[in-house]
Amino acid sequence: MRNLRFPRLTGLLLALTAGAAMQANSQTAPPNLPTKEQLANDNGLFLSLARKFFKWEEPAEPVRIVGPVYFVGTKGLGVFLITTPEGHILMNTGMPSSGPMIAESIRKLGFKPEDIKLMINGHAHIDHAGAFAYMKQQFGAPIAVMKDDVAAMESGDSNDFKYANDFVYPAVKVDRILRDGDQIKMGDVMLTAYHTPGHTRGATTWVMNLVVDGKAYLVVFPDGSGFNPGYRIAKNPSYPGIEHDYRRTHHTLEMLKPDIWLAQHNEYYDFEGKAKRAATEGMTAWIDPEGYRRFISGKKRAFEDEVDDELGVPKDTGK
């Protein structure tokens, strides 16, 4: 296969992460880049390319984002610590190798991973749930998960509707089963869990209201709206009801109007760019309601294009 230029790489990697609003950068395309169809048919290839290109397992410096919310993830994956006087909440854990990196990032910030009192998740794939078992074994924190992802978490995501047993990770026992609209309160922090299925059956969008220096902020962690190569939505669906789930999720996410939004994949919300600006601008660098609207709009457009493609709808050439 011929070498491909960066625009082709961008298109492929948008598919890899389900429509990520990836910023153009100086990276060059690797040679012999596989097609979307090859990625759809080769789960191992998909994972190896994504974890390498997006630096899922490379350590990153922890960052305070707003109030009690801190980034403690890797260069490619969003993991967040939410601190309170009564203990802390950890959201996501990245790949199975990420546990020690997360613990070290928490310590760098001056907190103790032993003070984590609850762990929560966006969805049950290996790149976000892979190290929950490590964190629970090391530090003892219980985990709360949306009911439709409990089986996946407790089996290490075996028998996944797309990845079968190719992306399994250490299983973890779920301590609290969540349902749509359930709330978690710890100290002066309250998080609301919204069931936003599609990407997985139990994908969860988390919403929190914060007051910092007398000003209120809505912080949203959207999830569930993306699809990967090989997902089937409209014809021979990957699971019954997946198309309806995606449409409901897009509606839910459209109704949210966050001041600040964060996500499981750092390129979605331009973590690197915002973190650099925050060094001089402070937390205002993270305020991005327009970026959120563009992100959700892009997810919807990619979804509708995929449905049209599956159904064989002729593409509008604009002529």
Side-chain angles (χ1 to χ4, degrees):
M1 184 184 300
R2 62 184 176 85
N3 290 356
L4 301 172
R5 294 176 296 173
F6 184 77
R8 178 71 179 91
L9 176 65
T10 299
L12 173 63
L13 292 173
L14 293 186
L16 271 173
T17 54
M22 187 176 174
Q23 303 295 315
N25 56 39
S26 61
Q27 290 172 291
T28 57
N32 304 316
L33 196 67
T35 65
K36 180 180 177 181
E37 290 72 25
Q38 287 174 312
L39 291 169
N41 294 321
D42 190 335
N43 293 336
L45 180 64
F46 170 81
L47 181 62
S48 63
L49 182 58
R51 73 200 295 182
K52 180 178 180 180
F53 187 87
F54 287 111
K55 304 177 181 179
W56 285 356
E57 295 174 287
E58 293 187 27
E61 285 298 310
V63 174
R64 186 179 190 177
I65 294 175
V66 56
V69 183
Y70 297 81
F71 171 88
V72 292
T74 64
K75 286 186 177 179
L77 296 174
V79 181
F80 304 98
L81 184 74
I82 302 167
T83 63
T84 86
E86 295 181 5
H88 312 318
I89 300 168
L90 183 70
M91 181 186 299
N92 307 329
T93 60
M95 295 288 285
S97 64
S98 299
M101 287 185 278
I102 294 168
E104 178 61 22
S105 290
I106 292 170
R107 293 189 179 101
K108 275 188 177 182
L109 292 168
F111 302 107
K112 298 178 181 179
E114 292 83 0
D115 290 336
I116 298 171
K117 301 303 181 187
L118 186 67
M119 299 188 293
I120 57 178
N121 196 29
H123 64 267
H125 281 162
I126 189 172
D127 47 335
H128 312 297
F132 276 116
Y134 172 89
M135 296 298 291
K136 189 172 186 179
Q137 181 182 30
Q138 293 293 313
F139 307 113
I143 182 169
V145 172
M146 189 63 66
K147 63 181 180 64
D148 301 88
D149 263 0
V150 170
M153 297 284 285
E154 294 192 334
S155 68
D157 205 21
S158 62
N159 299 313
D160 181 81
F161 64 77
K162 168 62 180 79
Y163 301 116
N165 294 318
D166 289 342
F167 293 175
V168 294
Y169 52 83
V172 62
K173 173 67 178 171
V174 172
D175 302 283
R176 176 179 171 185
I177 298 175
L178 301 172
R179 288 166 176 78
D180 187 39
D182 278 359
Q183 294 182 322
I184 287 172
K185 189 175 189 308
M186 189 173 298
D188 54 358
V189 167
M190 180 175 288
L191 287 155
T192 302
Y194 291 100
H195 185 204
T196 48
H199 192 66
T200 68
R201 289 180 173 91
T204 306
T205 290
W206 292 95
V207 176
M208 64 187 303
N209 291 281
L210 293 177
V211 177
V212 179
D213 297 329
K215 187 172 181 180
Y217 298 92
L218 182 67
V219 182
V220 171
F221 304 81
D223 203 306
S225 62
F227 57 89
N228 289 343
Y231 274 46
R232 300 183 307 276
I233 298 169
K235 290 182 67 176
N236 187 25
S238 292
Y239 69 81
I242 189 172
E243 182 176 357
H244 171 76
D245 281 353
Y246 271 115
R247 294 191 187 282
R248 189 184 75 179
T249 286
H250 291 147
H251 177 73
T252 298
L253 296 179
E254 277 185 316
M255 294 299 102
L256 299 173
K257 310 294 180 185
D259 302 292
I260 295 170
W261 65 288
L262 307 167
Q264 292 76 15
H265 291 279
N266 295 341
E267 69 275 4
Y268 284 5
Y269 62 107
D270 187 22
F271 167 75
E272 185 177 352
K274 288 175 179 174
K276 287 179 179 177
R277 286 171 33 219
T280 55
E281 299 175 23
M283 61 158 287
T284 58
W286 300 99
I287 298 174
D288 185 22
E290 181 58 33
Y292 178 83
R293 287 191 289 272
R294 288 195 303 269
F295 175 73
I296 301 305
S297 176
K299 291 289 192 182
K300 284 189 65 179
R301 181 69 270 161
F303 169 82
E304 296 298 345
D305 288 347
E306 177 66 19
V307 170
D308 287 350
D309 188 56
E310 288 185 21
L311 296 178
V313 176
K315 289 182 171 57
D316 183 0
T317 62
K319 295 181 181 180

